[in-house]
Amino acid sequence: MQAFGLDIAIVRTRAGAVYAVEGKCPHRGGPLADGLIGGTTLICPLHAWKFDLETGQALFGECGIKTYPVRVDDKGHVLLTIDKP
Amino acid sequence: MKDKKKLVVIGNGMAGARTVEEILARGGGDQFDITMFGDEPTGNYNRILLSNVLNGSYREDEIYLNPLSWYRENDVTLLAGVRATGLLRRARLVFDEHGEAVPYDKLIIATGSRPFIPQMEGTYLADGAMKPGVFVFRSLEDCRKIAAYARGKKSAAVIGGGLLGLEAARGLQNFGLEVSVVHIGGHLMPAQLDPAAGEILKKSMESLGLQVLLKKNTKSILGADHVLGLRFADETALDCDMVVISAGIRANWEIAAGSGLTVERGIVVDDHMRSADDYNIYSVGECAQHRGQMYGLVAPLWEQAKVLADHITGRNPNAAYHGSKVATKLKVMGVEVASLGVSEPQQPEDEVIQFSDPKRGTYKKLIIRNGRLVGGILLGDISKAAYLMQSFDRNTPLPDERLGLLFDLGDPPQQVTFDEMSAATQICNCNGVSKGAIVACVQSGKRNAKAVMDATRAGMGCGSCKAMVREIVEWACGGMVEEDPSVHYYVPGVPLAKPDLIRAIQQHNLRSVSAVFDLLAGGKEDAASKPGLASLLKTLWHAEYEDEKDARFINERVHANIQKDGTFSVVPQIPGGVTSPAQLRRIADVAQRYHVPLVKLTGGQRIDLLGVRKEDLPKVWEDLGMPSGYAYGKSYRTCKSCVGSDFCRFGLGDSIALALKVEAEFQGFDSPHKMKLATAGCPRNCSEAMVKDVGAVAVEGGRWEIYVGGAAGSAVRKGDILCSASGHDEVLKYMGRFIQYYRENAKYLERTHAFVERIGIDRIRDVVVEDSEGIAERLDAEVAKSKAAYKDPWKEAYTSAVAKEYSPLLPVLS
């Protein structure tokens, strides 16, 4: 999704957890929302860079991604907290 | 422009004309009015090819470099058939044979050379003309005369056993003459070869029907008014009807010497190719002597022409010629020869590496000084010539392994190479990972290849460097490499090799990826393992596979190939590359309607619409109304074909019809990696079937040869012949069995070429063709089930309306 000019990828894992992270891969700008997820690992679809959804850290290399606090309310709305850019 | 200077060039041979071309290329046409003297009445031709004109393999008009029209088009005045005979430097005038004067501001002397005619009695008649039957071999005119005289004659002698003499001899043989080569020295081609090589060449020449007489000093040419034979200094004689003299060349320096320029063996020039005495006069080519050297080959001449042109036009006033290293490759009567630098050692410390196989006509010799090549001879087998010539020319140090300089021994041991390899050498060209980065990673504690690849991304692009990365890791670990058990697993996240994994899946009836993780991996998901498992489950369960979208790679999830900007490429199915006007019109309409930025023909004979936005995909597919071409999948992709027997005059089998059947049989088949197929209507292999994962090539007699394991991507490999099949149905049967065997036994992301090499074609043939394991029937049945389970994923997508799958946006509430 896009909000306040930011690209944000919101994902739900098979275990039911919801995460919101920066939408573009820091490597070549790949769309992370189209990536593969397993456990808390997200794999970018372009060149298979791997990130941890909890911390945003890359599993190799230095460049991580931003993570956003997120929760789902009882109506099923996804509530996302973004600092004002 | 009226201030143009007058440039006069004496000589219209290869050197003169090439120099003028170089001058024109530097804008010399604006600086100079150019006049050229050429004593031959034609434009400029390639003298190197004269022997081919003599032997009939070229026509005269085929060897012209600059026809007369070229001179007109470039405003060059050519005085064709006019000989320059005098030079008056003080007045800056060149005189022709009729006494006409042509003024110059700058003069280039490119008079070349003429044949050397040794002192022999009976060469000339009393009136000074050459005796009928005596010829030299230098010009087109000489060629014509030799050819005219040779008709009806029985025998000829060539005086001179150099390159040109041997070529003349070959030309004469083509007129049906008995040809003898008479050479004064002890071995043939003394300029290029040493005695041992000369002896081997002599044997090769003799086996081609040439008589070679060595150490024969011709004293006289016999015959009163025409040639009857030769008499030698040792008082022996040879009968012959004609004689061609090819005893070397002498530079044409007379016009220079006559005007007082310094001449030794040739016209002496400085590093700018300028006369040592007169800065308005240059000389180039065979008549010029530079630092004591004369050159008779074209490569040095081209270098000289460039320097001269740079200097005379002022383009580069510092342009300097430093001499050339002489290396040449040539063919003498079909025998290949390469020669570089010196042919004998010249200093006590010079190393000589030598190989001699006289029976097969092969000889190799290298002369090495201080670890660098200074000379060499290759005769009969010149496969290493390119490498050696480059080392020679660049003066690069040679590897210590001398044997490898003479022969291709396969790859040298890598250990040696890794020690020498600089840390900056890029190993993974996709991700830009150097040897140094890999070594650093090992030193940081990653002690197996997979860990290093994960950490550095080396080998994670096209994958072609994986073997080398593995070897560097082993080398850097110095024997302390840790075994990574996951290399034996089908996918890293499930600790089972493929046969065990398949058995467990079938035993426990696991039909979805999540079920496999739950039962076989302790409930621990591994993202990177998901697509491999999805592929295998689909292959095993066909229609009963329980699809989970999160298990699929994005391409398989949205049935299109993701591009660098997150858009997708859409490739509809075009079986066999056969399309129709209506289909093309529809594709064009869709491309326009959805503003597709790039429409491109693919290597698989299809049409690719690139840059389609994800949300447009279902509409694009619906409007196309064509099934998916699976250009995104680890699956059967397509089957190329040539035009086959319907139109092609060479076609032996109907390759188009077969390609259509192949597509109908295997469309949508998931597999460990992509499979690209092709059918070819004859062994000319226009559709490249021999380098496909699976290919069929028609041969005479209504049969098809089936190739498997070919590759022409990041790896290049010609496929192995699995078997030959009779008729389309049999082709489909064996293709299907191979494909199913590959689907069941290959590791995930293992292409067929790697699979075939790992298992071995003999073993595969035993199972697939001979049915040594009794599984052929089952393989056929699995193919049939997969075929029956085929559904076009595009049609499914736009008819079942799961639109949100293709939407990039969630509705934002606040």
Side-chain angles (χ1 to χ4, degrees):
Chain A
M1 63 164 267
Q2 287 187 319
F4 310 109
L6 298 170
D7 258 327
I8 297 174
I10 299 175
V11 301
R12 192 182 64 212
T13 68
R14 191 155 269 281
V18 175
Y19 298 96
V21 296
E22 185 179 339
K24 281 195 154 105
C25 178
H27 174 229
R28 295 275 169 88
L32 292 176
D34 286 339
L36 270 171
I37 300 158
T40 61
T41 302
L42 170 66
I43 305 181
C44 173
L46 290 196
H47 306 100
W49 279 45
K50 294 181 187 173
F51 303 94
D52 186 279
L53 287 167
E54 301 267 2
T55 63
Q57 273 183 354
L59 299 193
F60 43 75
E62 264 99 78
C63 228
I65 49 175
K66 202 170 164 49
T67 58
Y68 300 94
V70 64
R71 67 182 176 87
V72 185
D73 70 10
D74 46 15
K75 292 180 196 140
H77 293 147
V78 179
L79 302 176
L80 190 58
T81 313
I82 305 172
D83 293 334
K84 262 197 184 148
Chain B
M1 224 189 291
K2 71 180 182 206
D3 322 309
K4 273 198 198 175
K5 290 185 181 161
K6 294 183 182 66
L7 173 63
V8 173
V9 182
I10 305 176
N12 181 36
M14 295 178 74
R18 178 63 166 239
T19 304
V20 170
E21 281 184 14
E22 296 284 355
I23 290 171
L24 291 172
R26 288 160 179 74
D30 299 330
Q31 295 179 38
F32 298 111
D33 281 322
I34 304 176
T35 303
M36 299 182 75
F37 283 90
D39 68 4
E40 292 185 60
T42 54
N44 166 42
Y45 56 86
N46 187 343
R47 213 178 287 281
I48 299 166
L49 293 176
L50 270 185
S51 58
N52 298 67
V53 174
L54 186 62
N55 72 33
S57 57
Y58 279 77
R59 291 192 317 269
E60 282 189 16
D61 58 327
E62 285 177 309
I63 69 166
Y64 276 98
L65 295 169
N66 302 90
L68 291 172
S69 57
W70 178 86
Y71 299 86
R72 280 196 301 276
E73 286 157 16
N74 288 287
D75 281 331
V76 173
T77 308
L78 175 64
L79 305 174
V82 180
R83 194 180 180 80
T85 53
L87 167 60
L88 189 57
R89 283 161 52 203
R90 204 171 304 165
R92 290 196 199 154
L93 293 173
V94 178
F95 296 94
D96 70 16
E97 53 203 317
H98 312 296
E100 295 279 331
V102 178
Y104 70 84
D105 296 304
K106 297 280 177 188
L107 177 69
I108 297 173
I109 302 175
T111 42
S113 63
R114 62 180 178 278
F116 168 63
I117 300 174
Q119 285 286 336
M120 295 174 289
E121 283 168 35
T123 308
Y124 301 96
L125 297 175
D127 63 2
M130 230 173 218
K131 183 185 285 178
V134 181
F135 300 94
V136 293
F137 183 43
R138 172 79 187 169
S139 66
L140 267 180
E141 183 60 22
D142 296 333
C143 253
R144 292 184 200 121
K145 286 185 191 162
I146 291 170
Y149 196 86
R151 306 217 183 275
K153 299 292 186 295
K154 287 200 175 60
S155 62
V158 174
I159 296 178
L163 169 62
L164 203 63
L166 292 174
E167 289 195 325
R170 169 172 165 242
L172 289 166
Q173 273 192 319
N174 279 21
F175 292 98
L177 301 177
E178 287 291 321
V179 183
S180 304
V181 171
V182 179
H183 186 57
I184 193 166
H187 69 271
L188 294 174
M189 287 180 64
Q192 289 86 15
L193 304 182
D194 66 355
E199 188 56 31
I200 291 173
L201 182 65
K202 175 172 179 268
K203 294 245 159 55
S204 301
M205 296 292 106
E206 285 169 346
S207 72
L208 295 167
L210 207 63
Q211 180 175 206
V212 179
L213 303 173
L214 298 176
K215 297 181 184 162
K216 290 286 183 191
N217 181 2
T218 309
K219 206 173 80 181
S220 56
I221 298 176
L222 306 176
D225 52 6
H226 65 274
V227 174
L228 291 174
L230 300 177
R231 183 175 298 284
F232 306 115
D234 60 7
E235 293 306 323
T236 56
L238 173 72
D239 289 338
C240 61
D241 299 326
M242 60 190 294
V243 54
V244 174
I245 300 169
S246 177
I249 54 171
R250 291 293 179 270
N252 291 322
W253 42 253
E254 288 75 7
I255 199 166
S259 67
L261 296 175
T262 302
V263 171
E264 292 171 359
R265 284 181 300 143
I267 302 163
V268 177
V269 295
D270 64 13
D271 286 358
H272 304 304
M273 301 311 295
R274 208 164 41 171
S275 156
D277 316 280
D278 187 330
Y279 282 1
N280 293 317
I281 300 180
Y282 295 76
S283 182
V284 63
E286 285 181 322
C287 61
Q289 177 183 329
H290 173 264
R291 297 191 188 178
Q293 294 292 321
M294 314 269 296
Y295 298 96
L297 296 169
V298 287
L301 184 163
W302 293 167
E303 293 172 40
Q304 293 178 351
K306 280 185 191 156
V307 169
L308 196 163
D310 273 341
H311 192 263
I312 203 170
T313 57
R315 173 68 68 95
N316 176 8
N318 299 317
Y321 176 69
H322 301 296
S324 296
K325 297 184 107 178
V326 180
T328 180
K329 268 195 296 191
L330 40 93
K331 221 178 199 176
V332 196
M333 294 180 61
V335 178
E336 293 193 292
V337 181
S339 131
L340 22 144
V342 298
S343 59
E344 297 285 359
Q346 300 184 320
Q347 294 177 12
E349 71 271 20
D350 285 357
E351 266 179 78
V352 179
I353 317 281
Q354 220 164 345
F355 170 81
S356 174
D357 182 357
K359 193 146 187 212
R360 279 163 199 80
T362 306
Y363 180 80
K364 304 181 181 197
K365 174 179 179 181
L366 301 179
I367 297 150
I368 299 172
R369 187 175 304 155
N370 299 326
R372 289 168 162 81
L373 199 58
V374 293
I377 297 166
L378 301 175
L379 181 68
D381 166 17
I382 64 165
S383 55
K384 299 294 283 183
Y387 166 76
L388 292 171
M389 282 177 153
Q390 192 181 52
S391 307
F392 173 71
D393 194 52
R394 298 184 184 169
N395 204 29
T396 46
L398 298 171
D400 286 338
E401 172 62 57
R402 303 294 198 221
L403 202 54
L405 297 172
L406 296 182
F407 305 98
D408 278 318
L409 301 168
D411 292 334
Q414 294 282 5
Q415 254 68 6
V416 179
T417 326
F418 293 143
D419 280 325
E420 290 169 353
M421 190 187 278
S422 86
T425 305
Q426 184 156 297
I427 305 299
C428 175
N429 288 323
C430 292
N431 290 324
V433 184
S434 66
K435 174 198 159 197
I438 293 171
V439 172
C441 184
V442 170
Q443 285 162 353
S444 79
K446 304 263 193 297
R447 303 198 81 85
N448 67 60
K450 183 165 180 304
V452 170
M453 290 184 199
D454 277 344
T456 61
R457 314 211 31 69
M460 309 291 271
C462 74
S464 62
C465 65
K466 272 185 177 168
M468 188 181 263
V469 174
R470 206 163 287 133
E471 283 168 24
I472 294 178
V473 170
E474 283 166 14
W475 169 81
C477 286
M480 303 286 286
V481 64
E482 288 165 7
E483 166 87 344
D484 173 13
S486 76
V487 296
H488 303 295
Y489 304 160
Y490 171 68
V491 287
V494 183
L496 290 171
K498 190 164 183 178
D500 301 331
L501 177 62
I502 292 177
R503 219 169 295 128
I505 287 171
Q506 287 171 333
Q507 194 182 336
H508 300 288
N509 205 16
L510 307 174
R511 300 190 178 205
S512 70
V513 171
S514 59
V516 171
F517 282 125
D518 283 345
L519 200 74
L520 303 177
K524 194 167 174 295
E525 275 190 332
D526 176 53
S529 300
K530 285 182 173 181
L533 289 174
S535 164
L536 179 62
L537 290 169
K538 201 166 171 206
T539 301
L540 294 175
W541 296 114
H542 313 287
E544 297 154 47
Y545 159 67
E546 285 169 24
D547 187 23
E548 292 167 341
K549 291 246 166 181
D550 70 289
R552 297 204 221 154
F553 180 58
I554 181 70
N555 286 2
E556 313 263 358
R557 214 183 302 151
V558 301
H559 316 291
N561 199 345
I562 193 163
Q563 304 297 306
K564 62 186 281 188
D565 60 354
T567 64
F568 291 83
S569 90
V570 170
V571 181
Q573 186 182 51
I574 301 183
V578 179
T579 180
S580 67
Q583 206 169 52
L584 290 171
R585 211 166 277 134
R586 224 174 314 137
I587 293 171
D589 287 343
V590 169
Q592 229 162 22
R593 197 172 307 139
Y594 294 95
H595 308 288
V596 171
L598 180 65
V599 180
K600 189 172 183 322
L601 300 180
T602 71
Q605 302 182 338
R606 303 188 291 180
I607 296 174
D608 195 348
L609 306 176
L610 288 131
V612 178
R613 295 182 305 161
K614 186 158 82 169
E615 58 268 36
D616 287 339
L617 286 172
K619 288 178 283 171
V620 165
W621 297 332
E622 184 162 18
D623 290 1
L624 279 173
M626 296 165 72
S628 165
Y630 281 92
Y632 45 83
K634 304 288 179 248
S635 62
Y636 167 88
R637 289 276 177 98
T638 182
C639 185
K640 283 172 73 162
S641 76
C642 63
V643 290
S645 50
D646 276 359
F647 285 90
C648 178
R649 68 200 157 97
F650 299 117
L652 299 172
D654 190 345
S655 54
I656 294 182
L658 178 58
L660 300 185
K661 290 179 193 168
V662 166
E663 185 95 15
E665 186 82 6
F666 303 120
Q667 58 188 349
F669 271 43
D670 280 271
S671 48
H673 210 308
K674 59 191 170 189
M675 297 189 288
K676 296 177 170 183
L677 280 66
T679 61
C682 81
R684 283 172 190 76
N685 192 31
C686 292
S687 55
E688 298 153 355
M690 295 175 192
V691 291
K692 292 295 174 191
D693 291 286
V694 183
V697 179
V699 292
E700 191 52 74
R703 300 192 68 82
W704 296 82
E705 286 187 332
I706 300 178
Y707 286 80
V708 297
S714 58
V716 179
R717 181 182 193 270
K718 186 177 175 186
D720 295 312
I721 295 183
L722 177 69
C723 61
S724 119
S726 167
H728 287 174
D729 291 342
E730 205 170 282
V731 172
L732 292 178
K733 181 174 84 175
Y734 288 120
M735 280 185 166
R737 271 192 207 163
F738 170 78
I739 288 173
Q740 185 62 24
Y741 187 65
Y742 165 66
R743 296 170 86 197
E744 293 181 9
N745 291 283
K747 299 177 194 167
Y748 189 58
L749 298 185
E750 182 176 37
R751 281 292 289 267
T752 59
H753 68 85
F755 173 72
V756 168
E757 284 194 350
R758 179 167 65 83
I759 305 287
I761 184 65
D762 293 336
R763 163 102 184 110
I764 293 173
R765 194 181 295 119
D766 278 350
V767 175
V768 169
V769 183
E770 309 299 335
D771 194 16
S772 62
E773 291 187 0
I775 60 168
E777 211 173 304
R778 184 184 64 73
L779 293 175
D780 294 345
E782 295 293 329
V783 168
K785 278 193 226 166
S786 280
K787 184 183 176 187
Y790 167 75
K791 281 187 204 142
D792 171 27
W794 289 358
K795 193 164 190 176
E796 271 202 307
Y798 66 75
T799 49
S800 70
V802 277
K804 71 174 193 302
E805 185 66 41
Y806 298 92
S807 159
L809 301 175
L810 289 175
V812 177
L813 295 179
S814 65

